């Protein structure tokens, strides 16, 4: 069972470079999410997609863009990376609806120099 | 805007002891979730609480939800070393948004 798959798992960027984090789920979930995790800050929501064709800002959207490519895939793009974006990024998915339990990918560790 | 606070942030406890982690949130919601994260790993779901008064138990962990007080508790009974992890609560921002806001986490260390 693949569940939620994120790529890449590790990435080092220089300030100003761009990159895209990919996320795919095989559980036929409606909703998908991108969070970042920093020490002492918990998980902060960057963007989410409640259903295919929709995207919404979360708590910390500045510097990021997202694309819900189809029901399975939700990508996160950093157009011009900054050191403040050094973090661990988690993708998650959920049925939505009445339960809302999130299923997480393994995380992507990004370092911006 | 929904704010979710957990306390304590760090908890070191002896095996066999009991303790409670608290999760407070700032706006009306009747859906709350608890997750566990082991060091360097992803998060896994522990409990889903979907109504006022909901109580769920799994092994030595018991979670409850009081929507009127905007408070959830995660109670640990007779802690064992394997429970050492970081525990997060997350709250549904409501109004059909499917937007989940996390607390800062409680890092639990159980000492043998």
């Amino acid at each position: 069972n693949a569940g939620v798959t994120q790529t890449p798992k590790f990435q080092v960027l220089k300030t100003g470079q761009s990159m895209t984090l990919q996320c795919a789920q095989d559980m036929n979930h409606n909703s998908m999410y991108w969070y970042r995790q920093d020490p002492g800050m918990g998980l902060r929501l960057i963007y989410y997609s409640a259903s295919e064709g929709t995207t919404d800002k979360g708590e910390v959207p500045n510097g990021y863009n997202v694309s819900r490519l189809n029901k399975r895939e939700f990508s996160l793009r950093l157009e011009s990376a900054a050191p403040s974006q050094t973090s661990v990024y988690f993708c998650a998915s959920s049925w939505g609806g009445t339960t809302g339990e999130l299923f997480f990918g393994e995380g992507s560790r990004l370092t911006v120099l | 805007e929904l704010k979710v606070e957990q306390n304590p942030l760090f908890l070191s406890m002896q095996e066999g002891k009991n303790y409670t982690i608290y999760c407070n949130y700032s706006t009306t919601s009747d859906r709350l979730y608890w997750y566990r994260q082991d060091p360097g790993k992803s998060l896994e779901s522990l409990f889903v609480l979907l109504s006022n008064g909901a109580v769920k138990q799994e092994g030595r962990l018991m979670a409850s939800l009081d929507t009127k007080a905007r408070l959830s508790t995660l109670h640990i009974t007779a802690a064992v070393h394997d429970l050492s992890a970081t525990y997060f609560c997350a709250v549904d921002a409501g109004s059909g948004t499917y937007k989940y806001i996390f607390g800062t986490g409680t890092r639990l260390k159980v000492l043998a």
Side-chain angles (χ1 to χ4, degrees):
Chain A
N1 292 337
V4 179
T5 303
Q6 293 180 231
T7 56
K9 290 189 171 36
F10 300 93
Q11 184 74 47
V12 179
L13 291 177
K14 294 181 180 177
T15 297
Q17 288 185 319
S18 62
M19 77 158 297
T20 300
L21 296 174
Q22 307 283 358
C23 176
Q25 52 93 8
D26 63 1
M27 296 174 282
N28 201 32
H29 284 170
N30 293 313
S31 303
M32 297 186 73
Y33 303 80
W34 278 106
Y35 289 90
R36 61 177 287 174
Q37 184 175 28
D38 303 292
M41 304 287 288
L43 274 79
R44 292 182 291 170
L45 181 63
I46 305 171
Y47 271 94
Y48 67 106
S49 171
S51 61
E52 186 179 1
T54 70
T55 60
D56 286 285
K57 294 179 180 179
E59 301 168 276
V60 288
N62 291 345
Y64 304 95
N65 286 301
V66 290
S67 295
R68 184 76 183 266
L69 303 169
N70 47 54
K71 191 171 185 178
R72 290 187 64 247
E73 299 173 288
F74 189 40
S75 63
L76 178 71
R77 183 160 178 84
L78 287 70
E79 291 290 353
S80 179
S84 60
Q85 295 178 304
T86 294
S87 188
V88 179
Y89 291 84
F90 285 99
C91 178
S93 69
S94 166
W95 285 110
T98 55
T99 58
E101 181 182 16
L102 292 172
F103 294 82
F104 284 85
E106 293 185 358
S108 299
R109 184 174 293 275
L110 175 64
T111 301
V112 183
L113 302 176
Chain B
E1 184 180 339
L2 174 61
K3 300 290 184 189
V4 182
E5 293 184 350
Q6 286 182 239
N7 66 82
L9 298 183
F10 298 98
L11 177 55
S12 180
M13 57 192 297
Q14 297 287 332
E15 276 193 331
K17 299 294 187 183
N18 304 332
Y19 209 82
T20 300
I21 299 170
Y22 297 89
C23 175
N24 291 89
Y25 53 97
S26 62
T27 64
T28 301
S29 179
D30 57 4
R31 300 204 291 178
L32 189 141
Y33 309 82
W34 285 96
Y35 295 88
R36 168 180 171 146
Q37 185 181 37
D38 292 310
K41 302 292 187 182
S42 186
L43 285 81
E44 60 177 353
S45 176
L46 288 175
F47 299 110
V48 177
L49 303 170
L50 299 178
S51 61
N52 185 43
V55 177
K56 295 280 184 73
Q57 183 162 5
E58 180 72 32
R60 301 174 187 273
L61 300 177
M62 183 173 71
S64 65
L65 178 60
D66 181 344
T67 59
K68 292 181 173 53
R70 298 177 186 168
L71 170 69
S72 179
T73 61
L74 179 66
H75 187 72
I76 303 156
T77 301
V80 293
H81 180 71
D82 285 352
L83 290 178
S84 297
T86 300
Y87 294 86
F88 293 94
C89 63
V91 179
D92 178 2
S95 302
T97 62
Y98 306 120
K99 179 180 179 180
Y100 303 100
I101 303 300
F102 278 74
T104 49
T106 296
R107 194 167 170 189
L108 171 65
K109 187 171 183 180
V110 181
L111 305 172

PDB file of all heavy atoms in Angstrom, chain B residues 3-20:
ATOM      1  N   LYS B   3      -6.899  29.305  16.451  1.00  0.00           N
ATOM      2  CA  LYS B   3      -5.610  29.065  17.105  1.00  0.00           C
ATOM      3  C   LYS B   3      -5.744  27.812  17.947  1.00  0.00           C
ATOM      4  O   LYS B   3      -6.760  27.605  18.621  1.00  0.00           O
ATOM      5  CB  LYS B   3      -5.219  30.244  18.002  1.00  0.00           C
ATOM      6  CG  LYS B   3      -5.069  31.558  17.274  1.00  0.00           C
ATOM      7  CD  LYS B   3      -3.858  31.567  16.375  1.00  0.00           C
ATOM      8  CE  LYS B   3      -3.678  32.933  15.731  1.00  0.00           C
ATOM      9  NZ  LYS B   3      -2.632  32.919  14.693  1.00  0.00           N
ATOM     10  N   VAL B   4      -4.707  26.991  17.922  1.00  0.00           N
ATOM     11  CA  VAL B   4      -4.706  25.734  18.670  1.00  0.00           C
ATOM     12  C   VAL B   4      -3.466  25.723  19.554  1.00  0.00           C
ATOM     13  O   VAL B   4      -2.350  25.892  19.056  1.00  0.00           O
ATOM     14  CB  VAL B   4      -4.695  24.522  17.727  1.00  0.00           C
ATOM     15  CG1 VAL B   4      -4.743  23.231  18.537  1.00  0.00           C
ATOM     16  CG2 VAL B   4      -5.876  24.591  16.756  1.00  0.00           C
ATOM     17  N   GLU B   5      -3.692  25.553  20.851  1.00  0.00           N
ATOM     18  CA  GLU B   5      -2.581  25.555  21.793  1.00  0.00           C
ATOM     19  C   GLU B   5      -2.524  24.240  22.538  1.00  0.00           C
ATOM     20  O   GLU B   5      -3.559  23.704  22.951  1.00  0.00           O
ATOM     21  CB  GLU B   5      -2.740  26.701  22.797  1.00  0.00           C
ATOM     22  CG  GLU B   5      -2.611  28.075  22.186  1.00  0.00           C
ATOM     23  CD  GLU B   5      -2.690  29.174  23.228  1.00  0.00           C
ATOM     24  OE1 GLU B   5      -3.026  28.870  24.384  1.00  0.00           O
ATOM     25  OE2 GLU B   5      -2.426  30.335  22.881  1.00  0.00           O
ATOM     26  N   GLN B   6      -1.330  23.738  22.720  1.00  0.00           N
ATOM     27  CA  GLN B   6      -1.133  22.529  23.512  1.00  0.00           C
ATOM     28  C   GLN B   6      -0.252  22.846  24.698  1.00  0.00           C
ATOM     29  O   GLN B   6       0.651  23.669  24.602  1.00  0.00           O
ATOM     30  CB  GLN B   6      -0.427  21.440  22.687  1.00  0.00           C
ATOM     31  CG  GLN B   6      -1.298  20.767  21.660  1.00  0.00           C
ATOM     32  CD  GLN B   6      -0.564  19.679  20.920  1.00  0.00           C
ATOM     33  OE1 GLN B   6      -0.448  19.741  19.701  1.00  0.00           O
ATOM     34  NE2 GLN B   6      -0.064  18.684  21.636  1.00  0.00           N
ATOM     35  N   ASN B   7      -0.508  22.149  25.772  1.00  0.00           N
ATOM     36  CA  ASN B   7       0.427  22.207  26.897  1.00  0.00           C
ATOM     37  C   ASN B   7       0.376  20.910  27.675  1.00  0.00           C
ATOM     38  O   ASN B   7      -0.660  20.220  27.689  1.00  0.00           O
ATOM     39  CB  ASN B   7       0.147  23.427  27.779  1.00  0.00           C
ATOM     40  CG  ASN B   7      -1.188  23.347  28.468  1.00  0.00           C
ATOM     41  OD1 ASN B   7      -1.315  22.693  29.516  1.00  0.00           O
ATOM     42  ND2 ASN B   7      -2.194  23.963  27.892  1.00  0.00           N
ATOM     43  N   PRO B   8       1.514  20.521  28.226  1.00  0.00           N
ATOM     44  CA  PRO B   8       2.790  21.213  28.102  1.00  0.00           C
ATOM     45  C   PRO B   8       3.430  20.992  26.728  1.00  0.00           C
ATOM     46  O   PRO B   8       2.971  20.153  25.971  1.00  0.00           O
ATOM     47  CB  PRO B   8       3.624  20.565  29.202  1.00  0.00           C
ATOM     48  CG  PRO B   8       3.119  19.159  29.236  1.00  0.00           C
ATOM     49  CD  PRO B   8       1.627  19.264  28.986  1.00  0.00           C
ATOM     50  N   LEU B   9       4.478  21.768  26.451  1.00  0.00           N
ATOM     51  CA  LEU B   9       5.209  21.560  25.208  1.00  0.00           C
ATOM     52  C   LEU B   9       6.171  20.389  25.340  1.00  0.00           C
ATOM     53  O   LEU B   9       6.454  19.683  24.367  1.00  0.00           O
ATOM     54  CB  LEU B   9       5.970  22.823  24.824  1.00  0.00           C
ATOM     55  CG  LEU B   9       5.116  24.063  24.542  1.00  0.00           C
ATOM     56  CD1 LEU B   9       5.995  25.221  24.111  1.00  0.00           C
ATOM     57  CD2 LEU B   9       4.064  23.769  23.495  1.00  0.00           C
ATOM     58  N   PHE B  10       6.711  20.220  26.543  1.00  0.00           N
ATOM     59  CA  PHE B  10       7.628  19.119  26.819  1.00  0.00           C
ATOM     60  C   PHE B  10       7.163  18.414  28.088  1.00  0.00           C
ATOM     61  O   PHE B  10       6.727  19.053  29.038  1.00  0.00           O
ATOM     62  CB  PHE B  10       9.065  19.625  27.018  1.00  0.00           C
ATOM     63  CG  PHE B  10       9.632  20.312  25.817  1.00  0.00           C
ATOM     64  CD1 PHE B  10       9.613  21.694  25.735  1.00  0.00           C
ATOM     65  CD2 PHE B  10      10.176  19.589  24.772  1.00  0.00           C
ATOM     66  CE1 PHE B  10      10.128  22.339  24.622  1.00  0.00           C
ATOM     67  CE2 PHE B  10      10.688  20.230  23.660  1.00  0.00           C
ATOM     68  CZ  PHE B  10      10.665  21.608  23.577  1.00  0.00           C
ATOM     69  N   LEU B  11       7.300  17.111  28.096  1.00  0.00           N
ATOM     70  CA  LEU B  11       6.879  16.340  29.254  1.00  0.00           C
ATOM     71  C   LEU B  11       7.822  15.165  29.426  1.00  0.00           C
ATOM     72  O   LEU B  11       7.944  14.321  28.528  1.00  0.00           O
ATOM     73  CB  LEU B  11       5.445  15.849  29.047  1.00  0.00           C
ATOM     74  CG  LEU B  11       4.835  14.958  30.108  1.00  0.00           C
ATOM     75  CD1 LEU B  11       4.898  15.618  31.472  1.00  0.00           C
ATOM     76  CD2 LEU B  11       3.398  14.602  29.740  1.00  0.00           C
ATOM     77  N   SER B  12       8.468  15.133  30.582  1.00  0.00           N
ATOM     78  CA  SER B  12       9.334  14.016  30.920  1.00  0.00           C
ATOM     79  C   SER B  12       8.702  13.309  32.112  1.00  0.00           C
ATOM     80  O   SER B  12       8.421  13.945  33.128  1.00  0.00           O
ATOM     81  CB  SER B  12      10.734  14.522  31.276  1.00  0.00           C
ATOM     82  OG  SER B  12      11.583  13.445  31.599  1.00  0.00           O
ATOM     83  N   MET B  13       8.431  12.035  31.971  1.00  0.00           N
ATOM     84  CA  MET B  13       7.736  11.341  33.044  1.00  0.00           C
ATOM     85  C   MET B  13       8.327   9.960  33.255  1.00  0.00           C
ATOM     86  O   MET B  13       8.932   9.376  32.350  1.00  0.00           O
ATOM     87  CB  MET B  13       6.240  11.246  32.747  1.00  0.00           C
ATOM     88  CG  MET B  13       5.882  10.578  31.454  1.00  0.00           C
ATOM     89  SD  MET B  13       4.142  10.788  31.002  1.00  0.00           S
ATOM     90  CE  MET B  13       3.307   9.955  32.338  1.00  0.00           C
ATOM     91  N   GLN B  14       8.115   9.451  34.440  1.00  0.00           N
ATOM     92  CA  GLN B  14       8.605   8.129  34.796  1.00  0.00           C
ATOM     93  C   GLN B  14       7.641   7.071  34.274  1.00  0.00           C
ATOM     94  O   GLN B  14       6.432   7.287  34.190  1.00  0.00           O
ATOM     95  CB  GLN B  14       8.724   8.001  36.316  1.00  0.00           C
ATOM     96  CG  GLN B  14       9.725   8.946  36.946  1.00  0.00           C
ATOM     97  CD  GLN B  14      11.150   8.536  36.651  1.00  0.00           C
ATOM     98  OE1 GLN B  14      11.444   7.376  36.444  1.00  0.00           O
ATOM     99  NE2 GLN B  14      12.044   9.513  36.627  1.00  0.00           N
ATOM    100  N   GLU B  15       8.181   5.926  33.962  1.00  0.00           N
ATOM    101  CA  GLU B  15       7.317   4.808  33.614  1.00  0.00           C
ATOM    102  C   GLU B  15       6.357   4.518  34.760  1.00  0.00           C
ATOM    103  O   GLU B  15       6.708   4.648  35.934  1.00  0.00           O
ATOM    104  CB  GLU B  15       8.148   3.548  33.323  1.00  0.00           C
ATOM    105  CG  GLU B  15       8.676   3.484  31.910  1.00  0.00           C
ATOM    106  CD  GLU B  15       9.216   2.121  31.545  1.00  0.00           C
ATOM    107  OE1 GLU B  15       9.698   1.402  32.445  1.00  0.00           O
ATOM    108  OE2 GLU B  15       9.153   1.759  30.353  1.00  0.00           O
ATOM    109  N   GLY B  16       5.150   4.143  34.395  1.00  0.00           N
ATOM    110  CA  GLY B  16       4.157   3.788  35.403  1.00  0.00           C
ATOM    111  C   GLY B  16       3.313   4.945  35.894  1.00  0.00           C
ATOM    112  O   GLY B  16       2.287   4.730  36.549  1.00  0.00           O
ATOM    113  N   LYS B  17       3.707   6.173  35.568  1.00  0.00           N
ATOM    114  CA  LYS B  17       2.954   7.348  36.013  1.00  0.00           C
ATOM    115  C   LYS B  17       1.863   7.715  35.018  1.00  0.00           C
ATOM    116  O   LYS B  17       1.883   7.307  33.859  1.00  0.00           O
ATOM    117  CB  LYS B  17       3.905   8.538  36.196  1.00  0.00           C
ATOM    118  CG  LYS B  17       4.984   8.324  37.221  1.00  0.00           C
ATOM    119  CD  LYS B  17       4.392   8.208  38.621  1.00  0.00           C
ATOM    120  CE  LYS B  17       5.498   8.160  39.672  1.00  0.00           C
ATOM    121  NZ  LYS B  17       4.953   7.982  41.033  1.00  0.00           N
ATOM    122  N   ASN B  18       0.924   8.524  35.535  1.00  0.00           N
ATOM    123  CA  ASN B  18      -0.169   9.030  34.711  1.00  0.00           C
ATOM    124  C   ASN B  18       0.042  10.509  34.427  1.00  0.00           C
ATOM    125  O   ASN B  18       0.597  11.228  35.269  1.00  0.00           O
ATOM    126  CB  ASN B  18      -1.518   8.872  35.430  1.00  0.00           C
ATOM    127  CG  ASN B  18      -1.791   7.449  35.840  1.00  0.00           C
ATOM    128  OD1 ASN B  18      -1.302   6.510  35.210  1.00  0.00           O
ATOM    129  ND2 ASN B  18      -2.564   7.279  36.896  1.00  0.00           N
ATOM    130  N   TYR B  19      -0.429  10.934  33.257  1.00  0.00           N
ATOM    131  CA  TYR B  19      -0.348  12.361  32.958  1.00  0.00           C
ATOM    132  C   TYR B  19      -1.349  12.711  31.879  1.00  0.00           C
ATOM    133  O   TYR B  19      -1.860  11.837  31.182  1.00  0.00           O
ATOM    134  CB  TYR B  19       1.063  12.765  32.510  1.00  0.00           C
ATOM    135  CG  TYR B  19       1.375  14.199  32.864  1.00  0.00           C
ATOM    136  CD1 TYR B  19       1.796  14.546  34.140  1.00  0.00           C
ATOM    137  CD2 TYR B  19       1.222  15.210  31.933  1.00  0.00           C
ATOM    138  CE1 TYR B  19       2.068  15.858  34.474  1.00  0.00           C
ATOM    139  CE2 TYR B  19       1.483  16.522  32.258  1.00  0.00           C
ATOM    140  CZ  TYR B  19       1.911  16.843  33.526  1.00  0.00           C
ATOM    141  OH  TYR B  19       2.160  18.140  33.860  1.00  0.00           O
ATOM    142  N   THR B  20      -1.635  14.022  31.749  1.00  0.00           N
ATOM    143  CA  THR B  20      -2.597  14.505  30.769  1.00  0.00           C
ATOM    144  C   THR B  20      -1.996  15.623  29.937  1.00  0.00           C
ATOM    145  O   THR B  20      -1.349  16.523  30.481  1.00  0.00           O
ATOM    146  CB  THR B  20      -3.877  15.008  31.464  1.00  0.00           C
ATOM    147  OG1 THR B  20      -4.459  13.936  32.210  1.00  0.00           O
ATOM    148  CG2 THR B  20      -4.887  15.508  30.429  1.00  0.00           C
TER     149      THR B  20
END
